[in-house]
Amino acid sequence: MQLASSGAAAGSIGTASRSSRPELVGRDEQLERLGTLFDDVAGGRAMTLLVGGDAGIGKSRLAEEFCDRVRLRGAVVATGMCVPGEGGLPYAPVMGILRT
């Protein structure tokens, strides 16, 4: 995501708006690494992968792009969402996957 200020007319205040791009920018190295790891898994190797980083850095967008790419290669991708906050529902991500 990027912040872009809108054009301000005379007498008005420019505001910042959020905009997203359909293509992922600046993550070629990470996507290449994920693709290599996917090849290993497709070849029979078991693996767990953790993607970490500060809030807003693009972890979810990177994961979405990776999932889209491996779907095109024939992979079955299941996603689930966590419930925010303390004491959330521990099986909520699994239930979300099963409902889908």
Side-chain angles (χ1 to χ4, degrees):
M1 272 193 268
Q2 66 183 29
L3 290 177
S5 65
S6 61
S12 67
I13 299 173
T15 59
S17 63
R18 296 172 81 181
S19 65
S20 62
R21 302 174 66 130
E23 68 277 354
L24 187 62
V25 177
R27 296 291 186 175
D28 294 336
E29 182 180 330
Q30 289 88 355
L31 284 169
E32 183 177 329
R33 177 73 176 134
L34 288 171
T36 299
L37 296 173
F38 176 76
D39 292 340
D40 291 345
V41 170
R45 182 175 175 202
M47 187 175 308
T48 299
L49 176 69
L50 175 65
V51 177
D54 293 331
I57 196 123
K59 299 176 299 291
S60 295
R61 180 67 180 90
L62 177 65
E64 288 171 9
E65 181 69 23
F66 172 67
C67 289
D68 289 346
R69 290 181 181 204
V70 297
R71 277 187 190 104
L72 291 174
R73 294 176 59 184
V76 175
V77 177
T79 58
M81 301 297 289
C82 294
V83 177
E86 303 256 343
L89 303 171
Y91 295 106
V94 176
M95 293 305 297
I97 291 168
L98 294 174
R99 280 190 198 114
T100 306

